[in-house]
């Protein structure tokens, strides 16, 4: 890891993580990404669960002078709400935050100030969302993360993701190699086509099969890494989320649906910010309850693993 991309808190976290790496035998092709041979339940319990929090957007539809990931909701920056959703989940072992140069210094300050113990590093992303994901995956690969690690990729501007959605993703990866949080569509969806300068309805899909994707989107590391390797060879590669990369480039890989919530909305415009503020009180209450429950269970589950600066992984991780 490039130490220049780490906050002082993250560097301190790395320095205490130096246990032997847990690894999985290498495979090739789509069969590798599909991980045909599952680890045993005992082995799977020890793989890292890494949350990648994407905070590198420039918010051109929001306010380029006031980055939305730094806007305060109920006196707390949006990015902090998102980091804390994973920080306080005892099943998540590590957090990687991806930023742009404009917000990097402030995010590093917030991480240090918040004392987020699971944030291992803060790295810079790219011009588009896909570039930021690729930066995070490359960093994890350079660290030597196990191929069967569970990676949850989350938009920082979805500050009120619920614990049930995070844990649902972690559980889904015991059965599938990919999963996404989503909510059933309450509106009828129409598929359109062009007719001159006007859009017209081409088809009306069965609403019972229509869902609105949210984040986190979760993958075994080998799956998402392999999907991006294949996608990088396509000159027309412009996905809007990570599930799309797996669906398009690893079509045999099934992606499980994990229940999302209306509170897990994405802040895109100023109007969204006003709407999301309504969820702050309930999110604070739920997270306080979750933290108490997590502390009561702390004797049953290890407190965390880590990605060490030398690429090592603490074997005490709990998946």
């Amino acid at each position: 890891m490039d130490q220049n991309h780490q906050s002082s808190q993250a560097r301190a976290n790395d320095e205490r993580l130096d246990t032997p790496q847990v690894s999985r035998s290498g495979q090739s092709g789509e069969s590798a990404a599909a991980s045909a041979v599952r680890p045993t339940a005992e082995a799977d319990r020890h793989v890292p669960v890494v949350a990648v929090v994407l905070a590198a957007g420039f918010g051109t539809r929001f306010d380029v002078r006031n980055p939305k990931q730094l806007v305060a909701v109920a006196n707390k920056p949006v990015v902090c709400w998102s980091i804390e959703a994973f920080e306080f989940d005892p099943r998540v072992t590590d957090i990687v935050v991806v930023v742009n140069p404009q917000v990097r210094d402030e995010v590093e300050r917030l991480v240090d100030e918040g004392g987020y113990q699971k944030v291992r590093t803060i790295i810079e992303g790219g011009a588009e969302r896909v570039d930021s994901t690729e930066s995070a995956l490359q960093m994890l690969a350079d660290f030597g993360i196990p191929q069967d690690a569970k990676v949850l990729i989350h938009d920082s501007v979805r500050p009120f993701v619920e614990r049930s959605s995070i844990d649902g993703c972690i559980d889904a990866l015991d059965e599938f190699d990919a999963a996404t949080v989503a909510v059933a569509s309450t509106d009828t969806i129409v598929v359109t086509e062009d007719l001159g300068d006007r859009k017209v309805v081409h088809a009306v899909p069965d609403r019972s099969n229509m869902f609105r994707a949210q984040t986190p989107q979760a993958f075994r590391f080998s799956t998402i890494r392999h999907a991006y390797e294949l996608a990088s060879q396509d000159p027309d590669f412009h996905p809007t989320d990570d599930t799309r990369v797996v669906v398009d480039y690893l079509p045999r890989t099934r992606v499980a649906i994990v229940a999302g919530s209306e509170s897990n909305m994405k802040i895109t415009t100023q109007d969204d910010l006003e709407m999301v503020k309504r969820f702050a009180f309930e999110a604070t209450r739920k997270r306080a309850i979750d933290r108490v429950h997590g502390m009561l269970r702390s004797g049953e589950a290890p407190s965390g693993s880590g990605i060490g600066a030398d690429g090592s992984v603490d074997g005490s991780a709990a998946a």
Side-chain angles (χ1 to χ4, degrees), residues 129-146:
R129 185 185 190 282
V130 62
D131 301 316
S132 295
T133 296
E134 286 189 301
S135 293
L137 295 177
Q138 184 60 56
M139 185 278 298
L140 293 173
D142 292 343
F143 255 34
I145 190 173

Side-chain angles (χ1 to χ4, degrees), residues 289-306:
I289 294 172
D290 287 340
R291 290 187 70 181
V292 171
H293 289 170
M295 288 187 288
L296 292 175
R297 292 195 302 265
S298 61
E300 303 172 12
S303 60
S305 76

Side-chain angles (χ1 to χ4, degrees), residues 78-303:
V78 164
V79 68
C80 292
W81 282 105
S82 288
I83 291 172
E84 289 180 5
F86 299 95
E87 175 75 21
F88 299 141
D89 188 326
R91 300 182 66 189
V92 175
T93 61
D94 306 278
I95 301 172
V96 174
V97 183
V98 186
V99 299
N100 65 54
Q102 180 183 356
V103 303
R104 176 177 164 183
D105 288 346
E106 180 62 10
V107 171
E108 288 186 344
R109 186 190 69 79
L110 291 170
V111 167
D112 285 341
E113 184 179 88
Y116 301 133
Q117 296 294 313
K118 293 180 184 178
V119 175
R120 309 304 183 201
T121 187
I122 298 172
I123 65 172
E124 290 187 11
E128 298 183 7
R129 185 185 190 282
V130 62
D131 301 316
S132 295
T133 296
E134 286 189 301
S135 293
L137 295 177
Q138 184 60 56
M139 185 278 298
L140 293 173
D142 292 343
F143 255 34
I145 190 173
Q147 292 298 297
D148 58 350
K150 298 178 179 182
V151 179
L152 280 63
I153 304 174
H154 184 66
D155 295 330
S156 70
V157 290
R158 293 184 185 272
F160 298 130
V161 58
E162 295 190 357
R163 170 77 61 85
S164 59
S165 294
I166 296 173
D167 289 348
C169 284
I170 297 171
D171 290 336
L173 292 182
D174 291 336
E175 184 179 357
F176 296 86
D177 289 289
T180 185
V181 174
V183 292
S185 176
T186 56
D187 295 319
T188 297
I189 305 297
V190 297
V191 179
T192 66
E193 61 184 0
D194 293 324
L195 183 62
D197 60 355
R198 185 183 292 273
K199 291 284 188 182
V200 297
V201 174
H202 172 70
V204 182
D206 183 351
R207 190 174 66 185
S208 65
N209 291 322
M210 298 294 106
F211 284 75
R212 292 182 286 118
Q214 298 182 334
T215 66
Q217 298 181 353
F219 313 89
R220 291 287 180 165
F221 179 68
S222 60
T223 299
I224 190 63
R225 177 72 167 163
H226 186 48
Y228 266 91
E229 288 173 345
L230 294 174
S232 66
Q233 303 169 27
D234 183 352
D236 298 321
F237 173 53
H238 295 292
T240 55
D241 71 0
D242 303 296
T243 295
R244 175 72 181 273
V245 181
V246 171
V247 170
D248 284 359
Y249 297 96
L250 294 176
R252 293 170 56 191
T253 299
R254 309 295 284 180
V255 181
I257 294 294
V258 174
S261 63
E262 292 301 327
S263 62
N264 189 25
M265 65 175 291
K266 183 178 181 181
I267 300 172
T268 303
T269 67
Q270 293 283 352
D271 289 340
D272 295 332
L273 181 62
E274 293 307 311
M275 292 179 64
V276 83
K277 287 179 179 178
R278 298 179 303 170
F279 300 118
F281 176 80
E282 182 64 13
T284 300
R285 186 188 69 84
K286 285 186 176 180
R287 290 186 184 182
I289 294 172
D290 287 340
R291 290 187 70 181
V292 171
H293 289 170
M295 288 187 288
L296 292 175
R297 292 195 302 265
S298 61
E300 303 172 12
S303 60

